[in-house]
Structures are given as C-alpha cells and as structure tokens.
Amino acid sequence: KNQVEQSPQSLIILEGKNCTLQCNYTVSPFSNLRWYKQDTGRGPVSLTIMTFSENTKSNGRYTATLDADTKQSSLHITASQLSDSASYICVVSASDQLSFGAGTTVTVRA
Amino acid sequence: DAGVTQSPTHLIKTRGQQVTLRCSPKSGHDTVSWYQQALGQGPQFIFQYYEEEERQRGNFPDRFSGHQFPNYSSELNVNALLLGDSALYLCASSLFGGDVEKLFFGSGTQLSVL
C-alpha cells in the first residue's frame, strides 16, 4: 500500500528561526514528490516538485530535498515569517496516482 | 485568469440529506479531481473526471457521485449524508496528459453534517 508519513505532526517556531519538516514514503513506482502549503480553510498551493533525478529544489525561503534511495524528503523553511504559519503537505506521485501525507502544522510566533 | 473556483464556500446539512458541490476548473484545464479532507488529515482522492466521464475512483461509497459538464465544470453529489462526511471538499483541475506539476486546487467547500 502506498503510504506517505510526515513528521512532526506539528511544531511551533519563533519568527526568524529555521525549521525542517520530514516526509517518508513507500510509494511505488515513484514518479515525483511535491510539497504543498495549505493555509487554514484554503486549498493547497504547490511549493516544489521533484522528480527522481532531482535531490534539491528551492522556492524562495523554502528548500526541499529528496533522497530517492531512502525514500525520504525534507522541507526546510529559512528565516520563518508569520505568514509561514500553515499546514505543509507532502504528496508523492506513482504513475497517475497521488498519495497525500497528513501534513505538518507549522505555527510561527512573533 | 480565474483559478479553480468552488461553491458554496460553506454548507451545513443534516444527516440523511443530499448535497451538491460545484467546481469550475482553471482556464485551459479539462480534468477535474475531487478530494475529501477531514480535519487534521491530508486530502483523500474521491474521483477524477475527464471528457464528462469518471476516469478514476478512490475508496469512496456509491453515495458519492459526480458529473462533468461540456464546459469542464464539475459537480460532486453526496447522498444520505452521514456525520462522518463532514470535511473540507477540494476540487483540483489539470490538463489531461499535461505536466503533472500543473495541478491547481480550489479553496474548498467546508461541509458540516449535523
């Protein structure tokens, strides 16, 4: 069964600090891995997408890494801002099927 | 250029009732997928419509049905509502056979079943 596990479930950080979110998956065959940001009550918005051959991709203060051998990905948020408070969802694609993680809720405090 | 639009934004129903949710895809997109997202969980795939036909379906009962119109807009119908159907329902649009990166979500319809 294709599964995507994210950790931690939630975290609180101070504004300006960095944080790293983790995603482990057992999806096969692997096609690509995406990170989405979802504000409360809104739809997910794509941050990054990586294929098998890519091991890092950045989008502003967001940097995603992928280790296809260990089936792990991370999302690093640099110099966090209050607007980074949201749920971050890892999505892994196998052929034309998407498997969603439960998300990590990030709260940035002033 | 309007993105994916969903209506209504919020809805309150009682058990046993029926509900219809609507979605207009992003301009240029022809494929619509529906997801159910329970509080604190990731979205769960319900089904996908392309060329007015259901192409894929997730693990949801027949109470969940859909439709796609010639203009690519779509409806999600849920019959005999249960308390457990309370969730955020997301619509996502894409171009069939296109770049898988280009999947856009709407803001969702928050359904509460009392």
Side-chain angles (χ1 to χ4, degrees):
Chain A
K1 180 181 178 182
N2 291 335
Q3 287 190 315
V4 179
E5 301 289 338
Q6 291 188 243
S7 62
Q9 184 176 16
S10 63
L11 65 91
I12 300 173
I13 58 173
L14 293 177
E15 188 177 14
K17 299 296 185 182
N18 304 334
C19 69
T20 300
L21 316 180
Q22 300 292 339
C23 173
N24 297 336
Y25 61 93
T26 58
V27 174
S28 182
F30 177 85
S31 179
N32 58 71
L33 185 146
R34 320 154 186 231
W35 283 93
Y36 282 86
K37 177 186 179 186
Q38 185 176 23
D39 293 317
T40 301
R42 303 300 297 257
V45 175
S46 179
L47 293 176
T48 64
I49 179 169
M50 291 179 290
T51 60
F52 184 88
S53 61
E54 298 174 293
N55 56 24
T56 187
K57 182 164 282 189
S58 292
N59 178 358
R61 296 179 295 101
Y62 300 102
T63 299
T65 65
L66 172 64
D67 186 334
D69 291 332
T70 62
K71 298 187 177 182
Q72 295 180 327
S73 177
S74 66
L75 179 69
H76 187 75
I77 304 175
T78 304
S80 62
Q81 300 177 357
L82 296 178
S83 60
D84 293 330
S85 294
S87 178
Y88 293 83
I89 302 175
C90 176
V91 183
V92 184
S93 175
S95 300
D96 56 356
Q97 300 279 350
L98 296 179
S99 296
F100 288 76
T104 293
T105 300
V106 174
T107 302
V108 181
R109 291 188 174 166
Chain B
D1 175 28
V4 181
T5 59
Q6 292 187 242
S7 63
T9 55
H10 295 83
L11 202 53
I12 299 175
K13 292 286 188 178
T14 58
R15 281 180 300 173
Q17 286 189 310
Q18 177 265 342
V19 68
T20 297
L21 311 182
R22 296 175 177 81
C23 172
S24 292
K26 180 177 172 62
S27 178
H29 285 183
D30 56 8
T31 302
V32 173
S33 302
W34 287 93
Y35 295 84
Q36 180 195 66
Q37 186 176 25
L39 191 63
Q41 301 296 317
Q44 298 293 317
F45 176 70
I46 302 175
F47 43 53
Q48 181 187 76
Y49 276 85
Y50 169 67
E51 289 189 334
E52 303 179 46
E53 290 188 9
E54 183 182 292
R55 298 290 174 164
Q56 297 182 51
R57 190 179 182 91
N59 188 26
F60 279 80
D62 292 343
R63 297 187 298 109
F64 290 77
S65 63
H67 188 77
Q68 185 179 35
F69 299 93
N71 67 353
Y72 308 122
S73 67
S74 177
E75 289 182 348
L76 164 65
N77 301 293
V78 186
N79 295 322
L81 284 168
L82 304 174
L83 296 180
D85 294 331
S86 295
L88 179 68
Y89 288 85
L90 295 166
C91 169
S93 76
S94 58
L95 183 63
F96 190 82
D99 186 349
V100 295
E101 178 175 3
K102 298 188 186 305
L103 180 68
F104 291 83
F105 286 87
S107 294
T109 293
Q110 185 66 55
L111 172 65
S112 297
V113 182
L114 305 179

